[in-house]
Amino acid sequence: QKEVEQNSGPLSVPEGAIASLNCTYSDRGSQSFFWYRQYSGKSPELIMSIYSNGDKEDGRFTAQLNKASQYVSLLIRDSQPSDSATYLCAVENFGNEKLTFGTGTRLTIIP
Amino acid sequence: DVKVTQSSRYLVKRTGEKVFLECVQDMDHENMFWYRQDPGLGLRLIYFSYDVKMKEKGDIPEGYSVSREKKERFSLILESASTNQTSMYLCAIAPSSYEQYFGPGTRLTVT
């Protein structure tokens, strides 16, 4: 059974600080990793994709991947109240077209 | 921009009714997915289609069927709705490289 684990939170971070969200996965063959943001009552929105070990930056967001440790993280710099949402980690299932999702981490940015 | 639409945002049905949820994309993408999302359980794959008339069971197909007669349209069918099928239903498409894009979702209540 392929698994993706995230701390459910809630994670509370002061406005302007760095929010750090973590995810571990069990399938060693996985090559593609994604972060989705989901506001309450809305559908998930893809915000970051990462395929290689190391860091990938996009604006205030940085995704980090360490395949040896089977660990992927998302950093949000200069956190804003609008970043308050649930963040879902998703991992490709090696050998098929599917993704396995974590249950999400609820992030609250405190003004 | 990827555009995925779902037939209803909110739906209320009675136990035993046959329910159709429809998902439509505006491009020619092959891979389409149906998920349900429940608190604490995350996103779970119900069915997946990789082309017209082609389908594959996901993790929780029991009580559901699907239809894909045209490339742009993927329907989820609840043959006889039950209260444990009350959930948020999300359709997704995957244009390339495992990235999935979600529709707005249908919140189904079965009474």
Short mmCIF file of all heavy atoms in Angstrom, two decimals, chain A residues 5-54:
data_model
loop_
_atom_site.label_atom_id
_atom_site.label_comp_id
_atom_site.label_asym_id
_atom_site.label_seq_id
_atom_site.Cartn_x
_atom_site.Cartn_y
_atom_site.Cartn_z
N GLU A 5 2.39 10.58 4.02
CA GLU A 5 2.09 11.02 5.37
C GLU A 5 2.36 12.50 5.54
O GLU A 5 3.42 13.00 5.12
CB GLU A 5 2.96 10.25 6.38
CG GLU A 5 2.79 8.74 6.34
CD GLU A 5 1.50 8.28 7.02
OE1 GLU A 5 0.92 9.08 7.78
OE2 GLU A 5 1.08 7.15 6.78
N GLN A 6 1.41 13.17 6.15
CA GLN A 6 1.57 14.59 6.50
C GLN A 6 1.05 14.79 7.92
O GLN A 6 0.10 14.12 8.33
CB GLN A 6 0.74 15.49 5.59
CG GLN A 6 1.11 15.48 4.14
CD GLN A 6 0.21 16.43 3.36
OE1 GLN A 6 -0.68 16.00 2.63
NE2 GLN A 6 0.45 17.72 3.51
N ASN A 7 1.64 15.74 8.64
CA ASN A 7 1.05 16.14 9.91
C ASN A 7 -0.23 16.90 9.63
O ASN A 7 -0.26 17.80 8.80
CB ASN A 7 2.01 17.05 10.70
CG ASN A 7 3.16 16.27 11.27
OD1 ASN A 7 3.01 15.10 11.63
ND2 ASN A 7 4.32 16.90 11.36
N SER A 8 -1.30 16.53 10.33
CA SER A 8 -2.59 17.15 10.02
C SER A 8 -2.70 18.59 10.51
O SER A 8 -3.53 19.36 10.03
CB SER A 8 -3.73 16.32 10.61
OG SER A 8 -3.59 16.24 12.00
N GLY A 9 -1.84 18.95 11.47
CA GLY A 9 -1.91 20.29 12.04
C GLY A 9 -3.03 20.36 13.08
O GLY A 9 -3.40 19.34 13.65
N PRO A 10 -3.56 21.56 13.37
CA PRO A 10 -3.25 22.78 12.63
C PRO A 10 -1.88 23.34 12.95
O PRO A 10 -1.39 23.19 14.05
CB PRO A 10 -4.35 23.74 13.07
CG PRO A 10 -4.76 23.24 14.41
CD PRO A 10 -4.54 21.75 14.42
N LEU A 11 -1.29 23.97 11.95
CA LEU A 11 -0.01 24.63 12.08
C LEU A 11 -0.28 26.13 12.07
O LEU A 11 -0.87 26.63 11.11
CB LEU A 11 0.90 24.25 10.91
CG LEU A 11 2.27 24.91 10.82
CD1 LEU A 11 3.12 24.50 12.01
CD2 LEU A 11 2.95 24.52 9.51
N SER A 12 0.11 26.81 13.14
CA SER A 12 -0.13 28.25 13.23
C SER A 12 1.20 28.98 13.10
O SER A 12 2.16 28.65 13.80
CB SER A 12 -0.78 28.59 14.57
OG SER A 12 -2.05 28.02 14.65
N VAL A 13 1.23 29.96 12.20
CA VAL A 13 2.46 30.71 11.91
C VAL A 13 2.14 32.20 11.91
O VAL A 13 1.12 32.61 11.34
CB VAL A 13 3.01 30.27 10.53
CG1 VAL A 13 4.18 31.15 10.10
CG2 VAL A 13 3.43 28.81 10.57
N PRO A 14 2.96 33.03 12.54
CA PRO A 14 2.69 34.49 12.50
C PRO A 14 2.89 35.04 11.09
O PRO A 14 3.73 34.56 10.32
CB PRO A 14 3.75 35.07 13.46
CG PRO A 14 4.31 33.93 14.20
CD PRO A 14 4.12 32.71 13.37
N GLU A 15 2.11 36.06 10.79
CA GLU A 15 2.25 36.72 9.49
C GLU A 15 3.68 37.22 9.31
O GLU A 15 4.29 37.77 10.23
CB GLU A 15 1.27 37.90 9.42
CG GLU A 15 1.27 38.63 8.10
CD GLU A 15 0.19 39.71 8.03
OE1 GLU A 15 -0.61 39.82 9.00
OE2 GLU A 15 0.15 40.43 7.02
N GLY A 16 4.21 36.99 8.12
CA GLY A 16 5.57 37.42 7.82
C GLY A 16 6.63 36.37 8.09
O GLY A 16 7.77 36.48 7.61
N ALA A 17 6.30 35.32 8.82
CA ALA A 17 7.26 34.27 9.14
C ALA A 17 7.28 33.22 8.03
O ALA A 17 6.53 33.30 7.04
CB ALA A 17 6.90 33.63 10.47
N ILE A 18 8.16 32.23 8.18
CA ILE A 18 8.24 31.12 7.22
C ILE A 18 7.40 29.96 7.72
O ILE A 18 7.54 29.52 8.86
CB ILE A 18 9.69 30.65 7.03
CG1 ILE A 18 10.54 31.77 6.43
CG2 ILE A 18 9.76 29.41 6.15
CD1 ILE A 18 12.03 31.44 6.33
N ALA A 19 6.52 29.46 6.85
CA ALA A 19 5.75 28.26 7.17
C ALA A 19 6.43 27.07 6.51
O ALA A 19 6.82 27.14 5.34
CB ALA A 19 4.32 28.40 6.66
N SER A 20 6.58 26.00 7.27
CA SER A 20 7.26 24.80 6.76
C SER A 20 6.32 23.61 6.85
O SER A 20 5.85 23.25 7.93
CB SER A 20 8.52 24.54 7.60
OG SER A 20 9.16 23.36 7.17
N LEU A 21 6.05 23.00 5.71
CA LEU A 21 5.11 21.88 5.63
C LEU A 21 5.88 20.66 5.14
O LEU A 21 6.67 20.75 4.20
CB LEU A 21 3.98 22.21 4.66
CG LEU A 21 3.22 23.49 5.00
CD1 LEU A 21 2.45 23.99 3.80
CD2 LEU A 21 2.29 23.24 6.16
N ASN A 22 5.63 19.51 5.76
CA ASN A 22 6.44 18.33 5.48
C ASN A 22 5.58 17.15 5.02
O ASN A 22 4.41 17.04 5.40
CB ASN A 22 7.21 17.92 6.73
CG ASN A 22 8.06 19.06 7.24
OD1 ASN A 22 8.75 19.72 6.48
ND2 ASN A 22 7.99 19.31 8.55
N CYS A 23 6.23 16.26 4.30
CA CYS A 23 5.54 15.11 3.73
C CYS A 23 6.54 13.98 3.54
O CYS A 23 7.66 14.21 3.06
CB CYS A 23 4.93 15.54 2.38
SG CYS A 23 4.20 14.24 1.38
N THR A 24 6.17 12.77 3.94
CA THR A 24 7.00 11.60 3.65
C THR A 24 6.18 10.62 2.83
O THR A 24 4.95 10.60 2.90
CB THR A 24 7.50 10.92 4.94
OG1 THR A 24 6.36 10.52 5.72
CG2 THR A 24 8.38 11.84 5.75
N TYR A 25 6.88 9.80 2.04
CA TYR A 25 6.19 8.86 1.16
C TYR A 25 6.88 7.51 1.20
O TYR A 25 8.06 7.41 1.54
CB TYR A 25 6.12 9.41 -0.26
CG TYR A 25 7.47 9.66 -0.90
CD1 TYR A 25 8.08 8.70 -1.71
CD2 TYR A 25 8.14 10.87 -0.70
CE1 TYR A 25 9.31 8.93 -2.29
CE2 TYR A 25 9.37 11.10 -1.28
CZ TYR A 25 9.95 10.14 -2.06
OH TYR A 25 11.18 10.37 -2.63
N SER A 26 6.15 6.47 0.82
CA SER A 26 6.67 5.11 0.98
C SER A 26 7.21 4.51 -0.32
O SER A 26 8.04 3.59 -0.28
CB SER A 26 5.58 4.20 1.54
OG SER A 26 4.50 4.11 0.63
N ASP A 27 6.74 4.98 -1.48
CA ASP A 27 7.10 4.36 -2.76
C ASP A 27 8.45 4.89 -3.25
O ASP A 27 8.54 6.00 -3.75
CB ASP A 27 6.00 4.65 -3.80
CG ASP A 27 6.22 3.90 -5.11
OD1 ASP A 27 7.28 3.26 -5.27
OD2 ASP A 27 5.33 3.97 -5.97
N ARG A 28 9.49 4.08 -3.13
CA ARG A 28 10.84 4.50 -3.51
C ARG A 28 10.97 4.80 -5.00
O ARG A 28 11.88 5.52 -5.41
CB ARG A 28 11.85 3.41 -3.15
CG ARG A 28 12.24 3.37 -1.71
CD ARG A 28 13.59 2.68 -1.51
NE ARG A 28 14.05 2.90 -0.16
CZ ARG A 28 14.73 3.97 0.23
NH1 ARG A 28 15.06 4.89 -0.65
NH2 ARG A 28 15.10 4.11 1.48
N GLY A 29 10.07 4.26 -5.81
CA GLY A 29 10.15 4.48 -7.25
C GLY A 29 9.54 5.78 -7.73
O GLY A 29 9.69 6.16 -8.89
N SER A 30 8.86 6.50 -6.84
CA SER A 30 8.17 7.74 -7.24
C SER A 30 9.17 8.78 -7.73
O SER A 30 10.24 8.95 -7.17
CB SER A 30 7.37 8.31 -6.07
OG SER A 30 6.36 7.41 -5.70
N GLN A 31 8.78 9.48 -8.81
CA GLN A 31 9.66 10.48 -9.42
C GLN A 31 9.04 11.88 -9.46
O GLN A 31 9.74 12.84 -9.74
CB GLN A 31 9.99 10.05 -10.86
CG GLN A 31 10.68 8.72 -10.97
CD GLN A 31 12.06 8.71 -10.35
OE1 GLN A 31 12.82 9.67 -10.51
NE2 GLN A 31 12.37 7.66 -9.61
N SER A 32 7.73 11.97 -9.23
CA SER A 32 7.03 13.24 -9.38
C SER A 32 6.26 13.56 -8.10
O SER A 32 5.58 12.68 -7.56
CB SER A 32 6.05 13.17 -10.56
OG SER A 32 6.70 12.78 -11.74
N PHE A 33 6.36 14.83 -7.68
CA PHE A 33 5.81 15.23 -6.38
C PHE A 33 5.12 16.58 -6.54
O PHE A 33 5.62 17.45 -7.26
CB PHE A 33 6.94 15.32 -5.34
CG PHE A 33 7.74 14.05 -5.28
CD1 PHE A 33 8.80 13.85 -6.13
CD2 PHE A 33 7.39 13.05 -4.38
CE1 PHE A 33 9.53 12.67 -6.11
CE2 PHE A 33 8.10 11.87 -4.35
CZ PHE A 33 9.17 11.67 -5.21
N PHE A 34 4.00 16.73 -5.83
CA PHE A 34 3.18 17.93 -6.04
C PHE A 34 2.67 18.46 -4.71
O PHE A 34 2.42 17.69 -3.77
CB PHE A 34 1.98 17.58 -6.94
CG PHE A 34 2.39 16.90 -8.22
CD1 PHE A 34 2.41 15.52 -8.32
CD2 PHE A 34 2.78 17.65 -9.32
CE1 PHE A 34 2.81 14.89 -9.48
CE2 PHE A 34 3.18 17.03 -10.49
CZ PHE A 34 3.20 15.65 -10.57
N TRP A 35 2.50 19.76 -4.67
CA TRP A 35 1.82 20.41 -3.56
C TRP A 35 0.57 21.10 -4.08
O TRP A 35 0.62 21.84 -5.07
CB TRP A 35 2.73 21.43 -2.88
CG TRP A 35 3.76 20.80 -2.01
CD1 TRP A 35 5.06 20.56 -2.30
CD2 TRP A 35 3.55 20.32 -0.67
NE1 TRP A 35 5.69 19.95 -1.24
CE2 TRP A 35 4.79 19.79 -0.22
CE3 TRP A 35 2.46 20.28 0.21
CZ2 TRP A 35 4.95 19.24 1.05
CZ3 TRP A 35 2.63 19.74 1.45
CH2 TRP A 35 3.87 19.22 1.87
N TYR A 36 -0.54 20.87 -3.38
CA TYR A 36 -1.80 21.51 -3.70
C TYR A 36 -2.22 22.36 -2.49
O TYR A 36 -2.00 21.98 -1.34
CB TYR A 36 -2.89 20.47 -3.96
CG TYR A 36 -2.75 19.73 -5.27
CD1 TYR A 36 -1.89 18.66 -5.40
CD2 TYR A 36 -3.51 20.10 -6.38
CE1 TYR A 36 -1.76 17.99 -6.61
CE2 TYR A 36 -3.40 19.43 -7.58
CZ TYR A 36 -2.52 18.37 -7.69
OH TYR A 36 -2.40 17.71 -8.89
N ARG A 37 -2.89 23.46 -2.78
CA ARG A 37 -3.49 24.30 -1.75
C ARG A 37 -5.01 24.17 -1.88
O ARG A 37 -5.56 24.24 -2.98
CB ARG A 37 -3.07 25.76 -1.95
CG ARG A 37 -3.67 26.75 -0.98
CD ARG A 37 -3.11 28.15 -1.24
NE ARG A 37 -3.45 28.61 -2.58
CZ ARG A 37 -2.80 29.59 -3.22
NH1 ARG A 37 -1.78 30.19 -2.63
NH2 ARG A 37 -3.17 29.96 -4.41
N GLN A 38 -5.67 24.01 -0.75
CA GLN A 38 -7.12 23.88 -0.77
C GLN A 38 -7.72 24.80 0.28
O GLN A 38 -7.55 24.60 1.49
CB GLN A 38 -7.55 22.42 -0.51
CG GLN A 38 -9.03 22.20 -0.67
CD GLN A 38 -9.41 20.72 -0.58
OE1 GLN A 38 -8.70 19.92 0.00
NE2 GLN A 38 -10.56 20.37 -1.17
N TYR A 39 -8.46 25.79 -0.18
CA TYR A 39 -9.22 26.66 0.73
C TYR A 39 -10.49 25.93 1.14
O TYR A 39 -11.00 25.08 0.41
CB TYR A 39 -9.56 27.98 0.05
CG TYR A 39 -8.35 28.85 -0.23
CD1 TYR A 39 -7.97 29.17 -1.54
CD2 TYR A 39 -7.58 29.38 0.80
CE1 TYR A 39 -6.87 29.97 -1.81
CE2 TYR A 39 -6.48 30.17 0.54
CZ TYR A 39 -6.13 30.46 -0.76
OH TYR A 39 -5.03 31.26 -1.01
N SER A 40 -10.99 26.30 2.31
CA SER A 40 -12.17 25.66 2.85
C SER A 40 -13.35 25.74 1.87
O SER A 40 -13.68 26.81 1.37
CB SER A 40 -12.56 26.33 4.17
OG SER A 40 -13.68 25.72 4.73
N GLY A 41 -13.93 24.60 1.56
CA GLY A 41 -15.08 24.55 0.66
C GLY A 41 -14.74 24.61 -0.82
O GLY A 41 -15.64 24.57 -1.67
N LYS A 42 -13.45 24.68 -1.13
CA LYS A 42 -13.01 24.75 -2.54
C LYS A 42 -12.26 23.49 -2.92
O LYS A 42 -11.95 22.65 -2.09
CB LYS A 42 -12.09 25.97 -2.74
CG LYS A 42 -12.73 27.29 -2.35
CD LYS A 42 -13.86 27.66 -3.28
CE LYS A 42 -14.37 29.05 -2.98
NZ LYS A 42 -15.52 29.40 -3.85
N SER A 43 -11.94 23.37 -4.22
CA SER A 43 -11.20 22.21 -4.70
C SER A 43 -9.70 22.48 -4.62
O SER A 43 -9.27 23.63 -4.54
CB SER A 43 -11.63 21.88 -6.13
OG SER A 43 -11.34 22.96 -7.00
N PRO A 44 -8.88 21.43 -4.63
CA PRO A 44 -7.43 21.61 -4.57
C PRO A 44 -6.89 22.33 -5.81
O PRO A 44 -7.35 22.08 -6.93
CB PRO A 44 -6.89 20.18 -4.49
CG PRO A 44 -8.04 19.36 -4.00
CD PRO A 44 -9.26 20.01 -4.57
N GLU A 45 -5.89 23.18 -5.57
CA GLU A 45 -5.25 23.95 -6.64
C GLU A 45 -3.77 23.60 -6.63
O GLU A 45 -3.09 23.72 -5.61
CB GLU A 45 -5.45 25.44 -6.36
CG GLU A 45 -4.70 26.38 -7.28
CD GLU A 45 -4.69 27.80 -6.73
OE1 GLU A 45 -5.10 28.03 -5.59
OE2 GLU A 45 -4.21 28.67 -7.47
N LEU A 46 -3.25 23.19 -7.78
CA LEU A 46 -1.83 22.84 -7.89
C LEU A 46 -0.98 24.10 -7.77
O LEU A 46 -1.17 25.07 -8.50
CB LEU A 46 -1.57 22.17 -9.24
CG LEU A 46 -0.12 21.75 -9.53
CD1 LEU A 46 0.32 20.67 -8.57
CD2 LEU A 46 0.00 21.25 -10.97
N ILE A 47 -0.02 24.09 -6.81
CA ILE A 47 0.84 25.26 -6.64
C ILE A 47 2.31 24.97 -6.92
O ILE A 47 3.06 25.89 -7.27
CB ILE A 47 0.70 25.91 -5.24
CG1 ILE A 47 0.96 24.89 -4.12
CG2 ILE A 47 -0.68 26.55 -5.08
CD1 ILE A 47 1.03 25.52 -2.74
N MET A 48 2.76 23.72 -6.76
CA MET A 48 4.16 23.41 -7.01
C MET A 48 4.30 21.97 -7.49
O MET A 48 3.60 21.08 -7.00
CB MET A 48 5.00 23.55 -5.75
CG MET A 48 5.23 24.98 -5.28
SD MET A 48 6.37 25.88 -6.34
CE MET A 48 7.93 25.20 -5.83
N SER A 49 5.24 21.76 -8.41
CA SER A 49 5.63 20.43 -8.84
C SER A 49 7.14 20.33 -8.68
O SER A 49 7.85 21.32 -8.92
CB SER A 49 5.28 20.22 -10.33
OG SER A 49 3.95 20.52 -10.58
N ILE A 50 7.64 19.17 -8.29
CA ILE A 50 9.09 18.99 -8.19
C ILE A 50 9.43 17.57 -8.59
O ILE A 50 8.72 16.62 -8.24
CB ILE A 50 9.61 19.35 -6.77
CG1 ILE A 50 11.14 19.34 -6.74
CG2 ILE A 50 8.99 18.49 -5.70
CD1 ILE A 50 11.74 20.01 -5.51
N TYR A 51 10.53 17.44 -9.38
CA TYR A 51 10.87 16.15 -9.94
C TYR A 51 12.30 15.73 -9.62
O TYR A 51 12.64 14.55 -9.75
CB TYR A 51 10.70 16.17 -11.47
CG TYR A 51 9.33 16.61 -11.91
CD1 TYR A 51 9.09 17.94 -12.28
CD2 TYR A 51 8.26 15.73 -11.93
CE1 TYR A 51 7.82 18.35 -12.67
CE2 TYR A 51 6.99 16.14 -12.33
CZ TYR A 51 6.79 17.45 -12.68
OH TYR A 51 5.54 17.87 -13.07
N SER A 52 13.14 16.69 -9.22
CA SER A 52 14.56 16.40 -8.97
C SER A 52 14.90 16.73 -7.54
O SER A 52 14.30 17.63 -6.94
CB SER A 52 15.45 17.25 -9.90
OG SER A 52 15.10 17.04 -11.24
N ASN A 53 15.89 16.05 -7.01
CA ASN A 53 16.38 16.35 -5.67
C ASN A 53 16.84 17.81 -5.58
O ASN A 53 17.39 18.36 -6.53
CB ASN A 53 17.58 15.45 -5.33
CG ASN A 53 17.16 14.11 -4.79
OD1 ASN A 53 16.09 13.97 -4.19
ND2 ASN A 53 17.98 13.12 -5.01
N GLY A 54 16.60 18.42 -4.43
CA GLY A 54 17.03 19.79 -4.22
C GLY A 54 15.84 20.71 -4.04
O GLY A 54 14.77 20.28 -3.62
#
